[in-house]
Amino acid sequence: AQKITQTQPGMFVQEKEAVTLDCTYDTSDPSYGLFWYKQPSSGEMIFLIYQGSYDQQNATEGRYSLNFQKARKSANLVISASQLGDSAMYFCAMARGAGGTSYGKLTFGQGTILTVHP
Amino acid sequence: GAVVSQHPSRVICKSGTSVKIECRSLDFQATTMFWYRQFPKKSLMLMATSNEGSKATYEQGVEKDKFLINHASLTLSTLTVTSAHPEDSSFYICSARDPRIAGDRTYEQYFGPGTRLTVT
């Protein structure tokens, strides 16, 4: 079975500082995808970044980067130059690889509430 | 990117009534849609996978007769909460995969804005 673990219920960061949100995963599938989503208080799920299990390089999207350490099964999100608007709940998620009835299903972590202080 | 809409965004219903939530893919045809439930400050829990033209696949513990899912077209899936009770109050979110996307991003899902259901 797949499992995503986010061990930080809440994180605080000063505006303009960088912050790392932790995510570890467990799967026996050789092929999978890892995602980070931001959920502000409005409830919408905003896609931030994606990392494929076979990607050699860490994914980056603007101020977001994913620190992918496959051997450790970790996929931490790094937000550089935090902004007040980054305050939200952040979810790490994993999609199962090809084959089987579970293909494409997302398993979510517990989430981390990030608060950016001015 | 692809756009998914949900309607209504908020609904209040009385206990014992049924309520229908619609999920639409606006600019692509979604052969597969997913329905999630989320309690306040909690994670998203997958309820079921909706496939166009076939029966939905429910996750363990989800009551099929209570949460009816219909994926009648390539752009519309509906979730009907039947005989709603206060404990069904929650935030329901749908998502859809764009089958045109292949390669690295094939797993990506596009989320609707969610529906907040309150059962009184």
Side-chain angles (χ1 to χ4, degrees), chain A residues 31 39 47 50 104-105 109, chain B residues 38 43 59 104-105 107 109:
Chain A
S31 175
Q39 187 180 42
F47 166 78
Y50 169 82
K105 287 185 180 179
Chain B
Q38 185 182 28
S43 187
E59 295 299 302
D104 288 348
R105 299 290 284 265
Y107 308 129
Q109 294 182 19

Side-chain angles (χ1 to χ4, degrees), chain A residues 58-113:
Chain A
N58 288 341
T60 59
E61 294 274 1
R63 294 187 298 113
Y64 306 106
S65 60
L66 198 152
N67 184 359
F68 181 46
Q69 298 191 33
K70 195 170 183 178
R72 293 186 177 184
K73 293 189 175 179
S74 73
N76 298 340
L77 175 70
V78 179
I79 305 175
S80 63
S82 297
Q83 302 171 356
L84 295 178
D86 293 336
S87 294
M89 175 82 96
Y90 288 79
F91 289 103
C92 179
M94 177 166 57
R96 295 198 70 167
T101 57
S102 296
Y103 174 62
K105 287 185 180 179
L106 282 178
T107 301
F108 285 86
Q110 305 93 317
T112 296
I113 298 176

